[in-house]
Amino acid sequence: MEILAFGVQSDERPLLEEAFRAARPEDRHDIRCLDVFLNEDTAPIAAGHEAVSTSVNCELGGRVLQTLATGGTTLVAQRSTGFNNIDLPVAERLGMTVARVSSYSPHSVAEFAWTLAMAVNRRIVRASNRTRDFDFRLDGLMGRDLHGRTVGVLGTGRIGEAFTRIAHGFGMNLLGWDAAENPACLDLGMKYVPKERLLAESDLVSLHVPLLPQTEHLLDAAALRTMKDDAILVNSSRGGLVDTRALVAELRAGRFTGVGLDVYEAEAGLFFLDKSLEVVDDDTLARLVTFPNVVVTSHQAYYTVDAVGEIIAATVRNVLDYLAGRRSENVLAPAPART
């Protein structure tokens, strides 16, 4: 069988191809890697392929899934933990199996979130741009010690826990918010509080929750106004957790020491692509990147050789499980039977 993989990055391609080559002889299958993302325009390419593999910025709405099903696709193996880009009820109605990567190295994202936090706190981008022009002044580069200050972690699962461990190493006061308390975070001294209190008291707020209907715009205009004027905000989870228009309004008002964003709620069709020679008509993003205290990166927090290797290994297992008729915790559709 040949698996058709959409949205494969150049660094990812050799790892993906080698993973399928390294399988046992009876488990070896060909994989064809495409750099284009799956959407309504590219879906017909998959005709004749029983299995496709997708990335988080592929579009798998009802029309795309119908095109895939008509072409004979019965497996979608998503190379990510998030799956808000897939219309699961439609996939199930069409008899398709959908699997994701339920977990991978939490350290990749947690460490990158801290990279963003430190970059905006210590004005690293501004300093680097200056020194390229041999401008070695310190004006405007003053940051703050994080030791002794308060960090608020929204979402304390595996990634939030890893982020919290780093915060503990900095000697910060730890506040958490989640539906369930993480014993490991409690052991580090984290205090769980309501979201409003966390936002009001934190010098640094970091988001580590999934994007669900109940978490969309978790940080809306009202929530953002609750935060300290000199707070730092980091989002390395999902763009839709933050109301970006409201965030721009707060930044225009001169609020926040810094904002580090690895995700953006309208990133589909932009992130992972070279748009440098085009006019980008997203006025909100265009305004966002002009603020000197904002750093925007292109959804790269997960992008380490360790994490990508784990994602690819899980994707291979998902394909093999599907062919063998096995079901794992990675399967999203068909939905598990209710008990």
Side-chain angles (χ1 to χ4, degrees), residues 21-327:
R21 280 198 302 265
R24 297 180 305 171
E26 62 270 26
D27 291 332
R28 285 178 190 159
H29 298 277
D30 295 328
I31 186 163
R32 179 184 170 200
C33 296
L34 304 177
D35 58 2
V36 298
F37 293 97
L38 178 61
N39 54 37
E40 289 190 28
D41 294 328
T42 60
I45 300 174
H49 290 84
E50 182 179 350
V52 300
S53 179
T54 55
S55 69
V56 71
N57 269 11
C58 291
E59 300 172 12
L60 288 93
R63 292 169 65 91
V64 170
L65 290 170
Q66 182 62 66
T67 301
L68 292 177
T70 300
T73 298
T74 53
L75 170 66
V76 174
Q78 175 116 320
R79 303 187 309 279
S80 72
T81 299
F83 54 91
N84 54 284
N85 59 323
I86 306 173
D87 191 328
L88 292 178
V90 171
E92 187 158 7
R93 178 172 55 80
L94 292 170
M96 303 177 76
T97 297
V98 179
R100 63 161 177 165
V101 178
S102 57
S103 65
Y104 56 88
S105 169
H107 308 292
S108 58
V109 179
E111 290 171 6
F112 192 84
W114 272 107
T115 301
L116 288 174
M118 295 305 295
V120 296
N121 178 41
R122 301 306 300 269
R123 313 290 195 266
I124 297 300
V125 174
R126 181 183 297 178
S128 177
N129 288 338
R130 282 186 184 178
T131 55
R132 287 177 181 272
D133 292 330
F134 295 94
D135 178 353
F136 299 102
R137 292 172 300 154
L138 297 182
D139 297 344
L141 301 183
M142 185 175 288
R144 297 181 294 178
D145 286 2
L146 293 178
H147 177 84
R149 287 190 160 83
T150 299
V151 62
V153 186
L154 293 164
T156 56
R158 296 174 72 247
I159 295 173
E161 178 188 329
F163 182 90
T164 300
R165 291 186 183 280
I166 299 172
H168 181 262
F170 273 105
M172 302 187 74
N173 303 312
L174 310 174
L175 295 181
W177 176 87
D178 207 325
E181 297 182 355
N182 184 333
C185 292
L186 290 171
D187 289 343
L188 292 170
M190 173 170 279
K191 183 175 183 179
Y192 281 85
V193 297
K195 182 183 73 171
E196 293 73 21
R197 178 179 169 185
L198 181 149
L199 295 175
E201 296 183 8
S202 296
D203 300 292
L204 165 62
V205 174
S206 190
L207 293 162
H208 301 287
V209 299
L211 180 59
L212 304 169
Q214 58 268 37
T215 61
E216 185 172 6
H217 285 182
L218 183 69
L219 294 192
D220 57 13
L224 291 168
R225 285 193 295 270
T226 304
M227 295 175 61
K228 292 182 177 182
D229 288 344
D230 61 353
I232 293 171
L233 172 63
V234 172
N235 185 11
S236 58
S237 184
R238 288 292 181 266
L241 298 174
V242 178
D243 182 339
T244 315
R245 289 178 181 270
L247 177 60
V248 168
E250 296 302 307
L251 288 164
R252 285 172 60 93
R255 300 190 65 230
F256 304 141
T257 289
V259 174
L261 303 175
D262 186 50
V263 288
Y264 173 61
E265 60 181 325
E267 68 183 53
L270 290 172
F271 282 23
F272 304 147
L273 300 171
D274 181 2
K275 296 289 185 178
S276 60
L277 299 180
E278 302 178 26
V279 175
V280 175
D281 59 3
D282 187 326
D283 292 338
T284 303
L285 179 60
R287 185 68 182 92
L288 188 64
V289 299
T290 65
F291 292 103
N293 58 334
V294 174
V295 172
V296 178
T297 52
S298 50
H299 207 139
Q300 70 183 80
Y302 77 100
Y303 207 52
T304 67
V305 65
D306 311 272
V308 172
E310 292 179 26
I311 290 169
I312 289 172
T315 300
V316 172
R317 290 195 300 272
N318 287 341
V319 172
L320 299 181
D321 285 346
Y322 160 80
L323 292 172
R326 296 186 297 263
R327 184 182 181 89

